[in-house]
Amino acid sequence: MLNKLGRTGQKIAKFFDKHVVVPITKVVLKITNGFDKSSHKLEGFLAKQSTLLFLSLFLSIILFIVVDQKILTLTTSSAKVFKNQKAEVLYNEERFVITGIPETFDITLIGSKADLYIAEQSSNHNVKLDLTNIKEAGTYKVDVEYDSNGLSSIEYSVNPSQVTIVVYDKESKNQTLSYNIINQDLLDSTLEVSNVELNLDQVVISGADFQLEKVATVQALIDVDNLTKVEAGTQTLENLPLRAYDKEGNVVDVEINKKENVTAKVTLTSSSREVNLNFVPENDVPFGNAISSYSFSQETITVYGSAETLDQLEQNGIDIKVDVSKLTSNYEADVEIPKPVGVKKMSVNKVKVKVEVTQSSDPITMTLRVDALNTPDGFIANALAVDDAEVLVDVTGAYNVIRSLKESEVQAYVDLSGYTKEGTYDVPIKIRPTSSNARLVTFVPKKATVKIVLQKKS
């Protein structure tokens, strides 16, 4: 270890002798040679070893000061680019609205690596647009300023270095406040937002006149993910964020001022109903066969959803379609329950269905009145003759089913939705069952059309 230190010291001494003492000595000798040979005293003074050492030390100190204070530039400059820097904009915010200011700026700094390192550690590069001298609306070109945080040795450039801005007078108007519920999908499937009460019904929006004209609605955003309890009941959400939107749903950049923070009382309810399951045969049973009965493992299920959806399902039930085109004997299987639109959850998703198949009975004939549906507005529809007001229908199916079938369980009708002019028309007859038993049999009308007279109301 000592040997290594010794060798290192020798190297330093040689370097100092070679690059400092020897060059200075040569300079001194040249100076002394310029003097007259008779100046022996000066020559003797300068020739002393102590004099040379003091001169070398003095010049070394001068050289250190020059380098340390950067009087001479001994290192090459470097460049550093800082992208996407925000600018501080100074202007009269209560009176004006400014457009045309870029969202970000790029700054290029040029200087020593040390200074660039210091600049890089700064989180704010102080890009500034000073618009405080603007006194009226109009279009202006403004120079972009940069504060180098005291690093005067750094050169800089900002891109863009100049921007064209448009200054508008700020206007204000009242706007009705509504709400928008977001993240409803995060709610438990058995819950729904049934009611919302805001503490404010109006706010004031401020901005340029052209911005205010775009605003179609201002909404308080109610995020159900912020509810403290995900259960039925009423909760209060505070400090709701507000957004202004145009008629296409795009955000409009205006100020939204309110007299107090917006809060909302949010009511969650769990709406459910017991609804019936309907057996709906698809296609026809093979010739000579008929369905005598069917049953589900459970006749009703519990469904959750909006009140409107549940009201409709409570009245009509849920149809479960079963393909019966290959049934020649009794059938049993698990079937999927289709989830109706508007239903969030069902108590079960599958049920077992049993179908009993028997031989088809001889057909019976029913006489049904023909109803006119979807008569155009402003018109009345009548049968041309008595024979057109009713239709004979052959009913085929299991004996026990067709013998118990009532006329009220079947509807014969004509659809007039495509007719728009006065006249007499041959309109196709359609038959539809209106009960579960009626769905188990086959209806064949004895004539395909009836004559309907369409007249304008007097």
Side-chain angles (χ1 to χ4, degrees), residues 279-287 289-291 320-327 355 396 433 438-443:
F279 178 79
V280 180
E282 277 196 317
N283 305 312
D284 295 326
V285 180
F287 180 77
N289 296 286
I291 298 173
I320 299 180
K321 297 179 180 180
V322 178
D323 184 4
V324 298
S325 62
K326 298 180 181 179
L327 294 188
V355 181
T396 305
R439 295 190 184 98
L440 304 181
V441 298
T442 302
F443 301 94

Side-chain angles (χ1 to χ4, degrees), residues 239-250:
N239 298 326
L240 298 179
L242 306 181
R243 297 287 186 275
Y245 299 96
D246 63 17
K247 62 182 180 181
E248 296 178 352
N250 301 310

Side-chain angles (χ1 to χ4, degrees), residues 29 35 71 204 322 336 346-347 395 450:
L29 290 175
F35 287 96
I71 298 173
V204 176
V322 178
E336 292 279 350
M346 301 185 297
S347 58
V395 183
V450 291

Side-chain angles (χ1 to χ4, degrees), residues 173-453:
K173 73 172 186 177
N174 292 329
Q175 183 74 32
T176 300
L177 180 63
S178 59
Y179 62 85
N180 182 25
I181 304 172
I182 60 177
N183 288 327
Q184 289 196 75
D185 292 343
L186 301 179
L187 279 177
D188 185 275
S189 56
T190 63
L191 296 172
E192 67 169 344
V193 178
S194 60
N195 189 52
V196 173
E197 294 182 10
L198 299 177
N199 65 322
L200 297 179
D201 57 6
Q202 278 197 337
V203 292
V204 176
I205 57 175
S206 301
D209 186 59
F210 77 93
Q211 293 173 320
L212 299 184
E213 289 180 355
K214 292 181 180 179
V215 177
T217 180
V218 176
Q219 295 180 342
L221 302 184
I222 299 175
D223 190 347
V224 298
D225 194 35
N226 293 332
L227 294 173
T228 56
K229 298 178 182 178
V230 187
E231 59 185 30
T234 300
Q235 302 177 49
T236 299
L237 290 177
E238 299 181 349
N239 298 326
L240 298 179
L242 306 181
R243 297 287 186 275
Y245 299 96
D246 63 17
K247 62 182 180 181
E248 296 178 352
N250 301 310
V251 175
V252 182
D253 185 17
V254 295
E255 291 181 16
I256 304 175
N257 305 301
K258 51 196 183 296
K259 59 184 180 181
E260 57 183 305
N261 288 328
V262 178
T263 64
K265 291 183 178 180
V266 182
T267 301
L268 299 181
T269 57
S270 179
S271 299
S272 64
R273 302 284 174 80
E274 291 288 326
V275 301
N276 294 319
L277 299 178
N278 303 322
F279 178 79
V280 180
E282 277 196 317
N283 305 312
D284 295 326
V285 180
F287 180 77
N289 296 286
I291 298 173
S292 61
S293 67
Y294 74 91
S295 64
F296 291 117
S297 55
Q298 58 185 82
E299 297 300 323
T300 63
I301 65 170
T302 303
V303 295
Y304 301 85
S306 66
E308 181 181 358
T309 299
L310 298 182
D311 288 342
Q312 185 176 3
L313 291 176
E314 189 176 35
Q315 180 179 356
N316 301 325
I318 298 176
D319 292 342
I320 299 180
K321 297 179 180 180
V322 178
D323 184 4
V324 298
S325 62
K326 298 180 181 179
L327 294 188
T328 58
S329 59
N330 294 344
Y331 172 78
E332 181 177 330
D334 290 329
V335 294
E336 292 279 350
I337 302 174
K339 188 176 182 180
V341 175
V343 170
K344 291 186 175 182
K345 184 180 180 180
M346 301 185 297
S347 58
V348 295
N349 296 314
K350 284 185 177 182
V351 291
K352 186 181 295 294
V353 61
K354 292 182 180 180
V355 181
E356 292 189 359
V357 179
T358 186
Q359 289 185 343
S360 179
S361 174
D362 292 333
I364 64 171
T365 300
M366 300 179 67
T367 302
L368 301 177
R369 180 174 58 87
V370 178
D371 297 326
L373 304 183
N374 300 319
T375 302
D377 291 340
F379 288 85
I380 57 175
N382 294 298
L384 180 63
V386 175
D387 289 345
D388 295 307
E390 58 186 21
V391 62
L392 297 176
V393 179
D394 286 337
V395 183
T396 305
Y399 180 83
N400 64 307
V401 177
I402 63 175
R403 291 302 174 185
S404 63
L405 194 64
K406 300 177 181 178
E407 292 182 0
S408 60
E409 297 179 77
V410 190
Q411 183 183 32
Y413 67 97
V414 290
D415 185 358
L416 301 178
S417 58
Y419 300 87
T420 59
K421 296 181 179 179
E422 288 185 308
T424 301
Y425 301 94
D426 285 324
V427 185
I429 297 174
K430 297 182 180 181
I431 308 293
R432 64 181 174 192
T434 58
S435 70
S436 58
N437 274 342
R439 295 190 184 98
L440 304 181
V441 298
T442 302
F443 301 94
V444 180
K446 287 184 176 294
K447 56 184 178 182
T449 63
V450 291
K451 292 185 180 297
I452 302 295
V453 179

